[in-house]
Amino acid sequence: MIEYNRDAHDIYRQSFAIIRAETRLDHLPADLEAVAVRIVHSCGMPDIVEDLLFSPDAGAAGREALTAGALLLCDSQMVAQGITRARMPANNPILCTLNEPTVPELAKQLGNTRTAAALELWRPHLAGAIVVIGNAPTALFRLLEMLDAGAAKPALILGFPVGFVGAAESKAALAADSRGVPFITVRGRRGGSAMAVAAVNAFGREHS
Amino acid sequence: MIEYNRDAHDIYRQSFAIIRAETRLDHLPADLEAVAVRIVHSCGMPDIVEDLLFSPDAGAAGREALTAGALLLCDSQMVAQGITRARMPANNPILCTLNEPTVPELAKQLGNTRTAAALELWRPHLAGAIVVIGNAPTALFRLLEMLDAGAAKPALILGFPVGFVGAAESKAALAADSRGVPFITVRGRRGGSAMAVAAVNAFGREHS
């Protein structure tokens, strides 16, 4: 037998204690602390908190929307899969349109990626939804374009695209002007589905 | 309209060019370069390559097993969801047993986490499979225990648990003694489902 902690509850407790000991949280609004802690937990990097950017109303907006039953619009199947259903306070529906059969043709028409084109199918659902982007910079850029063109406003944008082409730029564009929508994002290249999911799950119920 | 790259093929091409320009790859076996590049792509951090640990036979083992139709055994639904089916060369089956109804009871009997207990249902499938761990340290520890107790050997272990309690330790245990099984892992707290998925997808076909 190898010596290791086998108690899920105790592993969580210890993890969050280590994170709180190693992470500077005092610059965050109190209602975003849990989001920050869970994002650190998802990636193993306490310094990620220094790169978090957010609007001051993001915590309240997220909690209210989720409690009111907001739909979760996800850019990738990994994000949709990662959200812990049991933590969602209102049995919140989760939608990822990336694999819808019309998306490849929409992408050709729009001259954009499939991930960006998939947002066309979000239009009837955008008002009051929580948008969760954990993969594609083009999805975040496209969302900002749609808002500029008058699309209905979501309740919150969780913008965590990752990578080397457009990720930092799309998140900087969101942080510079979120088109009046509350948001949480992370500066730079880091991001990804696990961080995006962690942010959603942090707004949910404590025990699943 | 916002100015950004909307061409998925060109985004990939540019991303991989930036990664290759910024990442030290010359210490890696040639057949693990693509794995390293895709792992960097998944997390936005070129320096992650400095923490990669692997057995010299891991590249060949992964490619051969996948081509031969190896089953992919995943510790989480996010990992199972993230694997690009179209890249898999032999329509490889993907199995995650975490949500099987017997797992909570197994976890109680074993005195271990549900993620670790879910590995009991891997036993008939372990021989020649590719194990993909992107979340739970206890899954990796438990796998090593099962191998010590005589469980059938998989073809390759991709060990990428993330976090603050047991992640670094379980990956160090794998790297110190992989029980004769080819492996790829990453030193320290960093890891996660996106990196684990990137490693699998790197072994797949170039065009999906």
Side-chain angles (χ1 to χ4, degrees):
Chain A
M1 295 275 280
I2 306 171
E3 199 69 44
Y4 63 95
N5 193 330
R6 294 152 203 263
D7 177 342
H9 182 73
D10 191 59
I11 292 169
Y12 266 103
R13 196 192 51 73
Q14 272 197 42
S15 296
F16 290 132
I18 294 170
I19 293 166
R20 286 186 176 272
E22 293 191 20
T23 310
R24 212 189 120 232
L25 295 167
D26 54 347
H27 62 302
L28 296 175
D31 64 359
L32 287 185
E33 272 191 25
V35 173
V37 166
R38 282 203 163 252
I39 288 173
V40 171
H41 182 249
S42 75
C43 66
M45 299 181 288
D47 73 287
I48 194 83
V49 170
E50 295 160 31
D51 288 333
L52 288 181
L53 301 170
F54 47 84
S55 59
D57 52 351
R63 226 156 256 113
E64 277 164 34
L66 213 60
T67 307
L71 170 67
L72 295 151
L73 289 168
C74 308
D75 75 327
S76 78
Q77 296 289 350
M78 275 183 87
V79 168
Q81 192 64 55
I83 294 168
T84 306
R85 269 71 179 164
R87 290 181 67 90
M88 297 300 104
N91 199 19
N92 302 68
I94 298 169
L95 182 64
C96 173
T97 55
L98 182 57
N99 293 335
E100 291 300 315
T102 54
V103 168
E105 184 57 34
L106 277 170
K108 272 185 215 163
Q109 286 170 22
L110 288 168
N112 210 324
T113 67
R114 283 190 295 135
T115 316
L119 271 66
E120 290 304 306
L121 306 179
W122 291 7
R123 287 189 184 273
H125 312 291
L126 265 175
I130 296 178
V131 169
V132 195
I133 296 177
N135 182 32
T138 52
L140 183 49
F141 274 130
R142 181 68 190 151
L143 176 65
L144 296 177
E145 284 181 337
M146 286 165 61
L147 292 170
D148 285 342
K153 287 186 184 182
L156 177 68
I157 300 171
L158 300 171
F160 293 87
V162 59
F164 295 84
V165 175
E169 295 85 347
S170 64
K171 293 181 288 185
L174 173 68
D177 177 4
S178 70
R179 281 64 173 174
V181 180
F183 73 94
I184 307 174
T185 188
V186 60
R187 199 184 350 238
R189 290 168 169 177
R190 292 189 293 181
S193 49
M195 286 187 210
V197 161
V200 177
N201 286 337
F203 282 119
R205 288 192 287 229
E206 208 33 61
H207 287 288
S208 60
Chain B
M1 295 273 281
I2 307 171
E3 198 69 44
Y4 62 96
N5 194 331
R6 293 152 204 261
D7 177 340
H9 182 73
D10 191 58
I11 292 169
Y12 266 102
R13 196 192 52 73
Q14 272 196 42
S15 295
F16 291 131
I18 294 169
I19 293 167
R20 285 185 177 272
E22 293 191 21
T23 309
R24 212 191 120 232
L25 295 168
D26 54 346
H27 64 301
L28 296 174
D31 63 359
L32 287 184
E33 272 192 25
V35 173
V37 166
R38 283 203 162 251
I39 288 173
V40 171
H41 182 249
S42 75
C43 66
M45 299 182 287
D47 73 287
I48 194 83
V49 171
E50 295 160 30
D51 288 333
L52 289 182
L53 301 171
F54 48 85
S55 57
D57 52 350
R63 228 155 255 114
E64 277 165 32
L66 213 60
T67 307
L71 170 68
L72 296 152
L73 289 168
C74 307
D75 75 327
S76 79
Q77 295 290 349
M78 275 183 87
V79 169
Q81 192 64 55
I83 295 169
T84 307
R85 270 67 179 167
R87 289 181 67 89
M88 296 300 105
N91 200 18
N92 303 68
I94 298 170
L95 182 64
C96 173
T97 55
L98 181 57
N99 293 335
E100 291 300 315
T102 53
V103 168
E105 184 56 34
L106 277 170
K108 273 185 214 162
Q109 285 171 22
L110 288 168
N112 210 325
T113 66
R114 281 190 296 134
T115 316
L119 270 65
E120 291 303 308
L121 305 179
W122 291 8
R123 287 188 185 274
H125 310 291
L126 266 175
I130 297 178
V131 169
V132 196
I133 296 177
N135 182 33
T138 53
L140 182 50
F141 275 130
R142 181 68 189 149
L143 176 65
L144 296 178
E145 285 182 338
M146 286 165 61
L147 292 171
D148 285 342
K153 289 187 181 179
L156 177 68
I157 300 170
L158 299 171
F160 293 87
V162 59
F164 295 85
V165 175
E169 296 84 347
S170 64
K171 293 181 287 185
L174 173 68
D177 177 4
S178 70
R179 281 65 173 174
V181 180
F183 73 94
I184 306 173
T185 187
V186 59
R187 202 183 347 239
R189 291 167 168 178
R190 292 189 292 182
S193 50
M195 284 187 212
V197 161
V200 177
N201 286 338
F203 282 119
R205 286 192 288 230
E206 207 35 61
H207 286 287
S208 60

